[in-house]
């Protein structure tokens, strides 16, 4: 009798919070700038996320979404989740994903020193603020250090955004963006946090604000609907990549201690800085995080192939998030499972505002849009 070949863990069901997924393949958060200039999504986003939900039981994580108009900006075409119109648009997206039998978390963020002041001014007369007065590389404009009241305002803003996503737009949860040199990550990094108050200096102080955000969000929507993303080795937004292990050991240990039932922790593997590849330096590894966090639910992202994803899922049981490959292959879980050829992505149309090309015109393997 011929022994059946075992199904790789990558294609086996897995629990994420209260959700039972049909496999371990996840859509990574991808900034695409297809919202209108009021940060409101339209029909294109409904179609885009619906296409990538086409394999039932898939978890999608949205592009980063502003918590409030005052929380910084990189573009007016990135979506928000504070206005009635924005929330209604996101509800259409969530409904489309759920109608396919899949699930969706919203990634929520604040920008800090990575803000483009000209883009921020399009939303109103809001201050350009960050942990400290450290300008972006190549800029002669430094942000103003945040007051303690503004830190609390951002904590409250993350809570409101989470509640809007889950209770009004019908999302399955939120992913708190603490990666890639945006606001929460800026507090964790020595290169961008020069504060001398209770939010700077020691590892414990640097982690105080991000941990407070996560505490507040979990209290508002529940641990099993809350996730966190970190990127210890990303150099995006010119955060200094020094010895990250002490800071992130403390941060992840506190998450495990304080919130053991988080839906998941998401990590960006060395070699990836937001949308760009980078060289992997000696000593860069996330294995110290795996030792701290597993067997809790872990998602990792970063230049995975079918072969390396299968291998990692077998070794650790973690879920694997794909960005570029999921962008250009809306039925990616099906293609990976069946070892089918993948369509190549086009970087030229990653960030073309309100443009359908390179967004909703990638087809499934059978040629359907």
């Amino acid at each position: 009798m011929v022994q059946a070949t075992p199904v790789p863990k990558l294609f086996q069901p897995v629990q994420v919070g209260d959700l039972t997924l049909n496999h371990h393949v996840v859509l990574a958060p991808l900034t695409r700038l297809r919202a209108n200039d009021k940060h409101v999504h339209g029909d294109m986003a409904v179609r885009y996320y619906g296409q990538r939900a086409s394999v039932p039981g898939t978890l999608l994580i949205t592009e980063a979404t502003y918590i409030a108009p005052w929380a910084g900006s990189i573009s007016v075409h990135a979506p928000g989740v504070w206005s009635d119109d924005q929330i209604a648009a996101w509800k259409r997206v969530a409904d489309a994903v759920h109608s396919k039998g899949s699930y969706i978390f919203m990634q929520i963020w604040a920008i800090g020193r990575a803000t483009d002041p000209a883009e921020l001014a399009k939303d109103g007369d809001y201050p350009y603020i960050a942990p400290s007065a450290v300008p972006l590389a190549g800029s002669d404009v430094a942000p103003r250090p945040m007051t303690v009241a503004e830190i609390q305002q951002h904590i409250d803003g993350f809570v409101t955004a989470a509640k809007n996503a889950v209770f009004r737009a019908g999302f399955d949860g939120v992913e708190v963006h603490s990666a890639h040199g945006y606001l929460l990550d800026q507090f964790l990094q020595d290169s961008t946090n020069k504060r001398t108050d209770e939010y700077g200096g020691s590892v414990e102080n640097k982690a105080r604000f991000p941990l407070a955000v996560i505490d507040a969000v979990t209290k508002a929507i529940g641990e099993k609907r809350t996730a966190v993303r970190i990127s210890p080795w990303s150099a995006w937004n010119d955060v200094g990549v020094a010895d990250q292990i002490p800071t992130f050991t403390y941060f992840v240990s506190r998450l495990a201690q304080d919130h053991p039932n988080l839906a998941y922790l998401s990590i960006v593997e060395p070699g990836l800085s937001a949308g760009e590849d980078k060289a992997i330096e000696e000593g860069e590894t996330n294995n110290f995080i795996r030792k701290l966090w597993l067997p809790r639910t872990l998602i990792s992202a970063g230049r995975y192939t079918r072969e390396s994803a299968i291998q990692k899922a077998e070794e650790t049981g973690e879920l694997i998030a794909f960005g570029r490959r999921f962008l250009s292959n809306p039925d990616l879980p099906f293609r990976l499972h069946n070892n089918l050829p993948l369509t190549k992505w086009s970087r030229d149309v990653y960030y073309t505002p309100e443009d359908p090309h390179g967004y909703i015109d990638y087809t499934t393997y059978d040629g359907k849009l």
Side-chain angles (χ1 to χ4, degrees), residues 221-278:
I221 65 171
E223 285 189 7
K224 291 185 176 183
R225 289 172 167 157
T226 306
V228 183
R229 191 176 218 213
I230 58 175
S231 59
W233 309 108
S234 172
W236 195 250
N237 290 316
D238 53 83
V239 293
V241 179
D243 182 5
Q244 302 286 61
I245 292 177
T247 296
F248 284 91
T249 293
Y250 174 77
F251 186 63
V252 173
S253 297
R254 281 291 306 274
L255 292 179
Q257 170 189 307
D258 298 347
H259 303 293
N261 295 312
L262 285 177
Y264 61 85
L265 175 66
S266 174
I267 57 175
V268 179
E269 290 289 85
L272 190 66
S273 285
E276 304 289 341
D277 294 339
K278 66 181 281 287

Side-chain angles (χ1 to χ4, degrees), residues 303-321:
R303 299 162 64 174
Y304 279 103
T305 63
R306 180 181 189 272
E307 292 72 23
S308 62
I310 288 173
Q311 180 179 348
K312 182 61 71 176
E314 290 297 321
E315 291 172 353
T316 68
E318 66 199 67
L319 293 85
I320 308 298

Side-chain angles (χ1 to χ4, degrees), residues 33-42 45 63-90 106 109 111 116 118-124 126 354:
L33 305 183
R34 264 47 177 205
N36 68 20
D37 62 6
K38 303 299 181 186
H39 311 287
V40 177
H41 265 315
E63 67 219 275
T65 302
Y66 299 132
I67 61 170
W70 39 258
S73 179
I74 61 163
S75 169
V76 291
H77 292 286
V81 68
W82 67 83
S83 76
D84 289 343
D85 287 346
Q86 292 162 4
I87 295 164
W90 276 125
M106 182 184 293
W109 68 344
I111 311 303
D116 179 339
E119 291 296 298
L120 181 63
K122 295 176 184 178
D123 282 325
Y126 300 114
E354 299 187 71

Side-chain angles (χ1 to χ4, degrees), residues 210-224:
L211 289 172
V213 168
I214 295 156
D215 285 345
V217 170
T218 58
K219 286 184 175 69
I221 65 171
E223 285 189 7
K224 291 185 176 183

Side-chain angles (χ1 to χ4, degrees), residues 277-291:
D277 294 339
K278 66 181 281 287
I280 300 175
E281 307 294 337
E282 184 178 354
E284 292 186 354
T285 174
N286 283 331
N287 286 341
F288 75 101
I289 293 175
R290 291 183 170 92
K291 290 177 182 177

